[in-house]
Amino acid sequence: MAITPTFSARPRVLVVGGGYVGLYTAFNLQKKIAKTGGIVTLIDPLPYMTYQPFLPEVAGGNIEARHAVVSHRKHLKHTELIQGSVTSIDHENRTAVVAPANGGENFELPYHDVVMAAGAITRTFPIKGLAEAGIGLKTIEEAVALRNQVLSLIELASTETDPAKRARALTFVVVGGGFAGIETIAELEDMARAAVKLNDRVDQSELRFVLVEAMGRIMPEVTEAQALWVVEHLRSRGVEVLLNTSLDNAEENNIKLINLPDKSVAQQFDADTLIWTAGVMANPMVRSTDFPIEPRGRVSVNVNLQVNGEFGVVPNAWAAGDVAAVPDVTGGLPDGTCVPNAQHALRQAKRLAKNLWASRFNKPLKGYKHKNLGAVAGFGQWKGVAKIMGIQLKGAPAWVAHRGYHGLAMPTVERKFRVLMDWFITMFTGRDMAQLENLEAPRATFVAAATPKPKPAAAAPVEAPKAEAKEEATAGK
């Protein structure tokens, strides 16, 4: 007998997405909405929120993977949680269609208010071979896989006798010179060199790291002088920094790079590791709604974080974070909207929750306004760059500022404590250098052991010598 899941019939605040905006919106509203007889429902394909600024450190072995995510069920105890994806929204009729993560049948879910918090996905381009050869750094799973891959390739190269295959295994390419790309290549370079120190069969000079950036500078969030310092710093560590350069082809792991704008071939080589961090785009599911969408594919909102279209405010509809075109009154992107980053998403979520609650009582709403106080980035142990309230830092002071900021920004006290303990232990023991193998096929060893072995073929019976053969043998004597 099939069991049909039941969902609350109370007036619902539907939160679409469980990232920064979804987690904080649900957390700040769940008890208040419950006291008024309603319920907050959060829908996300994953059962956790990922603190993405920590992904480079997870990939580099400084932070345990599970400590960089926040469990929805543990911290949203007064929220109705549904693991699945919202495939479409009919706001005129206040219904959403949900596809369960376990593959069950889609169902409709009614709501009173909706919060679009679906975030962003990795933005890619139609480059041949990218889908087959590349890996992003947007999820915790990608960070873990990347860490294991780098360490496994170093181990593989240590026993490889073919020079071409050895060089291919020890070549690591990162496309994208923003914060994610710079921190990723720096952390992986740090980890790879530490791993090579433990392996006598690989020399440090064999490691090759290549950073590819299409623009003429990296890290637009810091000053030009700091960006130049970062380039010099990476090059001093042996990282090849290629500016005004683009990935043209990656078929069969053959990396073809071209110069911009003349599109001449810059370099061409083989690499087993290609990491793509060249930007993000709003979750395309928003196009399956009846909300107004601006040219960049984001939901149009006003400063109060209300969905706002050609005919004014859309009642009972809210949006924030990377999926929303939030006006930035302090100056952000060239189109006057907020930069898609964690700093804005965390603060917008808190403002959205307050405004949604105030709207229930017809109280005045407050517009979102946040002046960026600066930026911090870590490049491995005791290395980093920062710009805080106009003060420029680099090296160890910037690294301390980076850890201080993100330690405070990490959601929930429980997760802060776990991350701080990871950092504390790493200061004395170093990075965790153990790679985990066969995560994609964990049952392979058991299946091999449990599969009956074929029985050896029975030996053919030995025939007795014929009488004629015996006589001939006797006659020959």
Side-chain angles (χ1 to χ4, degrees), residues 3-308:
I3 299 176
T4 303
T6 58
F7 303 103
S8 175
R10 290 180 284 171
R12 175 176 285 107
V13 174
L14 179 63
V15 180
V16 181
Y20 304 107
V21 175
L23 176 74
Y24 275 93
T25 299
F27 184 80
N28 289 321
L29 284 176
Q30 56 182 356
K31 291 183 180 180
K32 294 178 180 178
I33 296 298
K35 288 180 180 179
T36 63
I39 191 169
V40 175
T41 300
L42 185 145
I43 301 177
D44 193 277
L46 299 172
Y48 50 77
M49 169 262 191
T50 303
Y51 190 69
Q52 293 176 2
F54 281 158
L55 293 182
E57 290 206 58
V58 171
N62 276 327
I63 296 176
E64 165 61 34
R66 284 185 176 84
H67 299 171
V69 301
V70 180
S71 167
H72 291 152
R73 291 214 174 269
K74 183 175 180 64
H75 298 283
L76 297 177
K77 296 179 180 179
H78 303 279
T79 295
E80 181 182 50
L81 298 171
I82 300 175
Q83 196 171 337
S85 301
V86 173
T87 60
S88 64
I89 290 178
D90 179 4
H91 189 65
E92 184 177 354
N93 294 304
R94 302 293 196 277
T95 57
V97 176
V98 181
N102 61 9
E105 293 185 3
N106 292 7
F107 57 89
E108 287 191 349
L109 200 66
Y111 63 81
H112 181 271
D113 293 273
V114 63
V115 177
M116 297 301 297
I121 63 171
T122 300
R123 180 188 64 184
T124 59
F125 301 103
I127 299 172
K128 292 182 179 179
L130 177 59
E132 295 76 19
I135 183 173
L137 194 64
K138 191 84 171 108
T139 68
I140 198 70
E141 292 82 6
E142 288 174 323
V144 172
L146 188 55
R147 173 174 172 269
N148 290 332
Q149 178 172 322
V150 171
L151 294 173
S152 294
L153 285 172
I154 291 173
E155 199 64 35
L156 181 150
S158 72
T159 56
E160 178 59 64
T161 57
D162 185 324
K165 292 181 179 179
R166 189 180 178 98
R168 171 174 167 158
L170 296 175
T171 300
F172 308 96
V173 182
V174 175
V175 179
F179 265 67
I182 299 298
E183 290 188 313
T184 297
I185 199 166
E187 288 286 349
L188 292 180
E189 188 268 347
D190 230 20
M191 179 183 72
R193 296 205 181 280
V196 168
K197 287 181 181 179
L198 302 176
N199 193 326
D200 295 335
R201 295 190 299 272
V202 181
D203 190 79
Q204 296 284 351
S205 62
E206 295 182 273
L207 292 173
R208 184 184 182 189
F209 286 86
V210 182
L211 176 71
V212 180
E213 170 53 46
M215 304 298 289
R217 62 162 288 182
I218 60 171
M219 302 178 74
E221 298 88 348
V222 301
T223 67
E224 186 171 355
Q226 286 181 306
L228 290 172
W229 177 84
V230 173
V231 171
E232 293 175 2
H233 170 76
L234 291 176
R235 286 174 175 166
S236 72
R237 292 165 60 172
V239 177
E240 299 175 41
V241 181
L242 306 179
L243 304 178
N244 296 309
T245 306
S246 177
L247 175 66
D248 183 66
N249 195 300
E251 291 178 291
E252 298 181 356
N253 288 85
N254 181 253
I255 309 301
K256 181 182 178 182
L257 305 176
I258 58 173
N259 294 309
L260 298 176
D262 63 5
K263 295 188 178 180
S264 61
V265 177
Q267 292 190 34
Q268 193 161 356
F269 54 85
D270 290 338
D272 280 332
T273 303
L274 173 62
I275 307 162
W276 182 270
T277 63
V280 297
M281 60 180 289
N283 194 318
M285 68 78 49
V286 300
R287 298 186 182 278
S288 298
T289 70
D290 49 0
F291 296 132
I293 308 297
E294 51 91 64
R296 292 168 64 98
R298 300 170 295 175
V299 179
S300 295
V301 300
N302 60 20
V303 292
N304 298 328
L305 305 176
Q306 298 167 292
V307 176
N308 189 55

Side-chain angles (χ1 to χ4, degrees), residues 353-373:
K354 291 178 180 178
N355 280 352
L356 191 155
W357 181 246
S359 71
R360 290 289 181 97
F361 307 97
N362 295 317
K363 292 183 177 180
L365 308 184
K366 186 176 179 180
Y368 173 74
K369 181 180 180 181
H370 170 68
K371 185 176 181 180
N372 194 341
L373 299 179

